[in-house]
Amino acid sequence: MKMSVVMVDGSFRENFSIIESLNKQTLPENDYEVLWIEFYSTVSDVLKQKEGVRVITLNNASDSEYHSSFCFNEGIRQSKGEVIVIPDADVLVEPSFLETVWKEHQACDRLAMYIHRLNEPKELHDKNKSFTLAYLRNVTIVTMTSNFGGCLTVRKKWLLEINGYEQNGTFSSGAHANGADVNIR
């Protein structure tokens, strides 16, 4: 398998539109897999109904503090792809996204890409609204150039070589300290 897409959740995601955009990729579906790693044991009913995604639960107690590094590392362990793609799980991607990432990694064996997340302006933000790519192309902007949690693409062997994401509690914040740590290492 060429690629694995690993997304994480701590029972806080409200929108799962990324699954549909990943199911419409130009890369043949046999060449990639989509993994959704849930920190707790409860998975959204909406997510359960999505096709083309393997859901893995870590079954942590509901009073446990969410720590995305445990989710990332489980996704890395269970992934079958040569290249791992770790996008923020509440984005949409272009139909050619995975094909483009694969081509870039074929050109450079040691490539690690951090792809900026484009955000809709706050005045347009509505958690309950499902946006289309056509709409988002016209309104999204880069709001944070140092967001290491936006999207990482890297060969699985390199993530294994650095022992994945740091699981120390210091890296459990929502500020993507774990992504910055992986970037540094």
Side-chain angles (χ1 to χ4, degrees):
M1 180 162 299
K2 292 179 178 178
M3 303 179 80
S4 296
V5 180
V6 175
M7 294 169 291
V8 304
D9 194 6
S11 296
F12 54 80
R13 302 282 180 199
E14 299 168 340
N15 188 320
F16 304 95
S17 299
I18 190 169
I19 304 298
E20 285 91 20
S21 67
L22 289 168
N23 285 339
K24 296 176 183 171
Q25 292 295 294
T26 56
L27 189 71
E29 64 182 54
N30 302 11
D31 289 347
Y32 69 97
E33 64 179 343
V34 177
L35 292 84
W36 189 280
I37 316 301
E38 169 57 53
F39 185 78
Y40 300 107
S41 57
T42 305
V43 176
S44 164
D45 289 335
V46 174
L47 181 60
K48 289 179 189 176
Q49 297 172 14
K50 300 290 181 189
E51 293 189 26
V53 60
R54 181 165 43 126
V55 178
I56 300 164
T57 57
L58 300 186
N59 297 317
N60 288 294
S62 60
D63 61 348
S64 299
E65 182 181 3
Y66 173 71
H67 193 321
S68 60
S69 291
F70 287 90
C71 298
F72 290 132
N73 289 339
E74 187 62 27
I76 293 163
R77 272 191 291 280
Q78 292 206 31
S79 66
K80 299 173 186 165
E82 180 182 333
V83 172
I84 307 291
V85 178
I86 303 176
D88 200 341
D90 57 0
V91 299
L92 293 178
V93 295
E94 294 286 347
S96 61
F97 175 69
L98 292 179
E99 184 176 2
T100 301
V101 169
W102 178 250
K103 286 177 182 175
E104 292 296 324
H105 279 277
Q106 294 313 292
C108 180
D109 185 53
R110 297 185 57 85
L111 181 66
M113 291 193 300
Y114 283 91
I115 301 168
H116 292 301
R117 174 194 168 118
L118 301 175
N119 294 306
E120 68 275 7
K122 289 186 187 221
E123 62 272 10
L124 300 176
H125 187 73
D126 180 353
K127 288 184 179 184
N128 298 316
K129 185 174 181 181
S130 205
F131 296 116
T132 65
L133 275 173
Y135 170 78
L136 291 172
R137 280 184 201 109
N138 292 319
V139 300
T140 55
I141 55 174
V142 174
T143 58
M144 182 186 287
T145 58
S146 63
N147 181 355
F148 293 104
C151 183
L152 166 66
T153 74
V154 66
R155 291 189 186 279
K156 179 178 179 176
K157 66 184 177 182
W158 303 129
L159 288 171
L160 294 174
E161 190 172 299
I162 65 168
N163 295 317
Y165 283 70
E166 177 57 58
Q167 294 181 176
N168 182 287
T170 303
F171 295 90
S172 66
S173 78
H176 298 296
N178 53 4
D181 169 66
V182 167
N183 176 59
I184 291 166
R185 289 189 286 136

